[in-house]
Amino acid sequence: MKKLGFGMMRLPLPDPKEQGTVDMEQVCKMVDTFLERGYTYFDTAYMYHAGQSEITAREALVKRHSRDSFTLATKMPLMRFKDGGTKAGQDAVFHEQLEKCGVEYFDYYLLHNINKTSYETAKRLDTFAYLQEQKAAGKIRHLGFSFHDKADFLDEVLTAHPEVEFVQIQLNYLDWEDERVQSRKCYETIVRHGKKVVVMEPVKGGKLAAVPEEAAALMKEAHPDWSPASWAIRFAAGLDQVMMVLSGMSSMEQLLDNTGYMQDPAPLTAEEVKLLERSAEIISALPAVACTACRYCVDGCPQKIDIPEYFALYNGDQEALRKGLTPSKAAYEKLAANGGRASDCVACRQCEGACPQHLPIVNWLSRVKSTYEG
């Protein structure tokens, strides 16, 4: 397989506020182009796009292309069973996913978002053993899990479950040495256990596709025809044990860019890696929120605050604020007209419990409030 995977988490939307309604016509064109260019890996999940991503995979991919022309990955939503649930409920979800995706088996199946909390859920439901049974029954070809925690805990999980074949982790050049994310340490842990690596968030939710001017200038000087996003994806794809790099593509333009340079990507040179290290320093110097726009924080917010949209606006204004310019208050008011304001936060912190980045969201919302409402 070519190393680029189509992440069906950030599909094109007619209305950005309606995550459950995707632009099916455009998705179909993107899926067709992706396959025509020789790429085969598609990644979806039960929760993506308000539960519609798996159905979209069925309509745009499974119904329109032969089963041997693609590989499909989805995930067991452990977060659904955090406050309860049974083994029977787990089995019902798995078979619901087969139906929603319109397939008889999954090429790759993952336990979704393993961390210390969800791992306890998996142990209570005996999820690893259950999925091994489904694999033996031919419903799963390859078993793995996605992971959002520290490397030492990852070592514990892999030691306890040698049956796992691959692990999906957040990996990009900005998080490579970040002690909160521990991309490098997690990668090295997986390699030490002899497993393959699937990369998620190689562009960190789009943050590494729109880098500060100084970092963009460095990249352009080195390779005028490389986009900032391509630098990030090349970095991840160049690692030896990386099996697949997922990119959540929201437009045909992004898909054409990604599938173009990933036809035959050469590993980055030592000089190019040093350039990315300098870019990471530049990006880290800005007081931006490390949000990847996964939107797990939005469901359950009692104030209906569109947290990722506010953080994206705040991050986009950092260079302007550093230069003493006025923040985009009109854009903030436009966002606020469609839901709760940052100042409406009641600090219930359910968002922080759902955040795979472990961000202090309430504190960041306070900064957003001060910037745009103060």
Side-chain angles (χ1 to χ4, degrees), residues 281-293:
E281 292 173 358
I282 294 167
I283 297 167
S284 297
L286 295 175
V289 193
C291 173
T292 62

Side-chain angles (χ1 to χ4, degrees), residues 64-345:
R64 302 174 60 252
H65 297 277
S66 63
R67 185 65 180 89
D68 61 356
S69 68
F70 62 86
T71 53
L72 183 63
T74 194
K75 311 170 185 76
M76 174 62 71
L78 292 172
M79 56 285 286
R80 180 183 173 95
F81 305 107
K82 181 180 67 172
D83 299 319
T86 63
K87 292 181 181 180
Q90 180 176 250
D91 181 67
V93 165
F94 181 80
H95 285 88
E96 179 188 354
Q97 290 178 291
L98 288 169
E99 182 178 348
K100 286 173 70 177
C101 291
V103 295
E104 295 182 354
Y105 66 90
F106 296 112
D107 301 278
Y108 297 88
Y109 196 87
L110 304 85
L111 290 83
H112 199 170
N113 188 16
I114 288 291
N115 55 35
K116 289 185 178 179
T117 300
S118 63
Y119 188 54
E120 292 303 313
T121 301
K123 288 195 292 185
R124 176 172 57 82
L125 296 177
D126 209 11
T127 306
F128 283 91
Y130 169 77
L131 295 180
Q132 278 289 88
E133 292 172 4
Q134 297 306 316
K135 184 179 178 184
K139 302 296 184 182
I140 295 170
R141 297 287 173 86
H142 302 283
L143 180 62
F145 60 85
S146 61
F147 185 80
H148 285 285
D149 214 306
K150 299 298 177 64
D152 57 351
F153 180 60
L154 176 57
D155 182 63
E156 290 181 30
V157 178
L158 286 173
T159 300
H161 295 283
E163 72 273 16
V164 166
E165 299 169 75
F166 67 99
V167 183
Q168 185 168 306
I169 59 169
Q170 179 171 321
L171 190 157
N172 55 69
Y173 69 81
L174 186 61
D175 292 328
W176 187 242
E177 297 294 351
D178 187 300
E179 271 304 305
R180 185 175 48 81
V181 180
Q182 297 189 347
S183 285
R184 177 182 60 79
K185 290 182 179 179
C186 287
Y187 171 79
E188 291 173 351
T189 299
I190 299 166
V191 172
R192 189 169 67 252
H193 280 269
K195 312 301 181 183
K196 289 294 185 179
V197 178
V198 175
V199 172
M200 58 182 162
E201 303 296 355
V203 192
K204 203 170 173 67
K207 187 174 183 179
L208 301 183
V211 298
E213 294 173 4
E214 185 180 353
L218 289 175
M219 295 176 183
K220 192 170 183 62
E221 183 179 359
H223 289 287
D225 57 335
W226 287 14
S227 66
S230 77
W231 278 89
I233 294 179
R234 288 172 196 267
F235 172 82
L239 297 168
D240 289 341
Q241 295 304 309
V242 167
M243 176 184 81
M244 189 61 55
V245 180
L246 302 177
S247 177
M249 293 171 279
S250 304
S251 68
M252 181 64 80
E253 180 184 9
Q254 293 174 4
L255 186 141
L256 292 175
D257 182 36
N258 287 347
T259 55
Y261 62 76
M262 284 295 286
Q263 287 290 342
D264 188 23
L268 296 180
T269 65
E271 292 76 16
E272 289 164 345
V273 171
K274 284 190 176 296
L275 185 152
L276 288 183
E277 290 173 356
R278 174 58 187 146
S279 297
E281 292 173 358
I282 294 167
I283 297 167
S284 297
L286 295 175
V289 193
C291 173
T292 62
C294 69
R295 302 190 66 83
Y296 295 167
C297 59
V298 177
D299 292 337
C301 174
Q303 302 300 93
K304 309 298 182 186
I305 302 170
D306 198 335
I307 298 166
E309 291 293 334
Y310 284 132
F311 287 169
L313 178 65
Y314 178 83
N315 287 346
D317 272 345
Q318 289 311 302
E319 283 199 87
L321 291 168
R322 186 174 60 172
K323 295 174 182 177
L325 302 177
T326 303
S328 308
K329 292 191 176 183
Y332 177 81
E333 291 301 328
K334 185 176 180 181
L335 287 174
N338 295 313
R341 306 167 70 85
S343 57
D344 292 334
C345 175

Side-chain angles (χ1 to χ4, degrees), residues 24 28 31-32 35 54-67 69-70 72 99-103:
M24 188 62 73
C28 287
V31 165
D32 294 349
L35 290 169
E54 291 175 328
I55 294 172
T56 301
R58 181 187 69 205
E59 298 301 312
L61 174 66
V62 177
K63 282 187 175 181
R64 302 174 60 252
H65 297 277
S66 63
R67 185 65 180 89
S69 68
F70 62 86
L72 183 63
E99 182 178 348
K100 286 173 70 177
C101 291
V103 295

